[in-house]
Amino acid sequence: MVASELINHMIPPLKPTDDGHKAIVWMEELRMNQLPVIEKGQFLGFITEEIILEENDSKRPLKDYYFDGEQCYVTEHQHFYDVIKAATEHELQMVAVLSDEGAFRGVIALEDTINAFAESTAVQEPGAILVLLMNQRDYSLAEISRLTEAEGVRILSCAVNSDPKDISLLRVTLKLNKTEVSHVTASLERFGYKIIGRFQEEEIKSNDQERFDLLMRYLNI
């Protein structure tokens, strides 16, 4: 799913000539604490409730405030993983979407992106999640796939990121299409792969917070 498909058209942009009071009213109506500001189709950044309250003068036009997240945007063809990455890097709950020419297309709420991910096939289809730790030189998705498929199990998705404790190591997160994967883990360990995490679908559903934490780990946030 790409960014253009996730734009929330119910979130309106503000103009630099709008005042802080209007921004606060819109935020209250939308139950949000930040909104995009654009001028002549160009994204200027986000005005937040905190910024307005800090200035203690809501009658001032927005152009007199500073904006947050001027670089918090993606292009309309980028993947929704990039949306989550941008929001996380800028510590905002929204990401602007721009055309290839830089024109403002709308914004995506981080909540909408997480919901879209949760509805994806890789998440919805029952299956276990395995986390492997290995040297970077040993990583081969083709080899890992060969071993799992030899046990009658398919990999639905794969996420790879550096280990936070040792950059020479990789953490490889696999979502599989089966919940019972003891034979897969045994095969992987037999070929020298170290498994540092194993999560079954029934365990993920047991607690909403655990499910959210696992999603964040799975997206490398």
Side-chain angles (χ1 to χ4, degrees):
M1 187 174 294
V2 297
S4 60
E5 299 175 286
L6 293 169
I7 293 175
N8 189 328
H9 297 285
M10 299 301 292
I11 302 175
L14 291 158
K15 302 187 296 294
T17 52
D18 293 328
D19 60 26
H21 175 71
K22 179 177 180 179
I24 291 293
V25 170
W26 282 18
M27 290 178 196
E28 290 177 349
E29 290 178 350
L30 296 167
R31 297 183 180 179
M32 297 175 176
N33 60 7
Q34 54 201 235
L35 286 172
V37 181
I38 68 170
E39 183 175 27
K40 297 180 180 179
Q42 300 300 304
F43 173 65
L44 301 181
F46 291 97
I47 186 70
T48 69
E49 182 181 34
E50 182 180 4
I51 291 172
I52 297 172
L53 294 179
E54 281 180 354
E55 296 296 333
N56 197 30
D57 184 5
S58 61
K59 294 181 180 180
R60 293 169 53 188
L62 297 182
K63 63 183 180 181
D64 291 344
Y65 295 88
Y66 70 91
F67 300 135
D68 201 0
E70 294 92 339
Q71 301 301 314
C72 186
Y73 63 83
V74 295
T75 61
E76 54 191 336
H77 302 299
Q78 285 185 256
H79 194 269
F80 68 78
Y81 282 3
D82 295 320
V83 176
I84 295 177
K85 180 180 179 182
T88 303
E89 288 179 346
H90 295 276
E91 299 182 346
L92 290 170
Q93 296 300 310
M94 289 184 190
V95 176
V97 181
L98 309 183
S99 70
D100 293 334
E101 293 74 32
F104 179 79
R105 295 299 190 201
V107 295
I108 299 170
L110 182 58
E111 180 181 359
D112 294 335
T113 307
I114 294 176
N115 289 338
F117 179 82
E119 293 171 0
S120 68
T121 302
V123 174
Q124 289 297 318
E125 187 167 336
I129 293 176
L130 298 181
V131 183
L132 283 58
L133 184 69
M134 66 190 70
N135 290 316
Q136 292 195 28
R137 64 176 180 275
D138 296 330
Y139 172 67
S140 171
L141 183 57
E143 175 66 11
I144 296 172
S145 296
R146 184 184 69 79
L147 294 174
T148 58
E149 290 176 5
E151 299 296 332
V153 176
R154 291 186 295 108
I155 297 175
L156 297 178
S157 66
C158 174
V160 182
N161 58 282
S162 298
D163 184 78
K165 298 180 180 179
D166 187 344
I167 60 173
S168 68
L169 300 177
L170 291 179
R171 290 191 178 191
V172 181
T173 304
L174 306 173
K175 173 64 184 288
L176 308 176
N177 71 329
K178 298 287 181 66
T179 56
E180 172 48 49
V181 293
S182 57
H183 53 305
V184 174
T185 58
S187 177
L188 290 171
E189 290 174 337
R190 188 165 62 250
F191 280 86
Y193 291 100
K194 182 179 181 180
I195 299 173
I196 61 173
R198 176 177 170 178
F199 308 89
Q200 300 287 356
E201 184 70 9
E202 55 268 21
E203 294 175 344
I204 298 172
K205 291 182 177 179
S206 65
N207 183 282
D208 287 342
Q209 183 60 48
E210 182 180 349
R211 179 173 58 186
F212 180 80
D213 292 342
L214 179 58
L215 172 60
M216 295 299 98
R217 188 184 309 118
Y218 183 68
L219 291 176
N220 185 24
I221 293 181

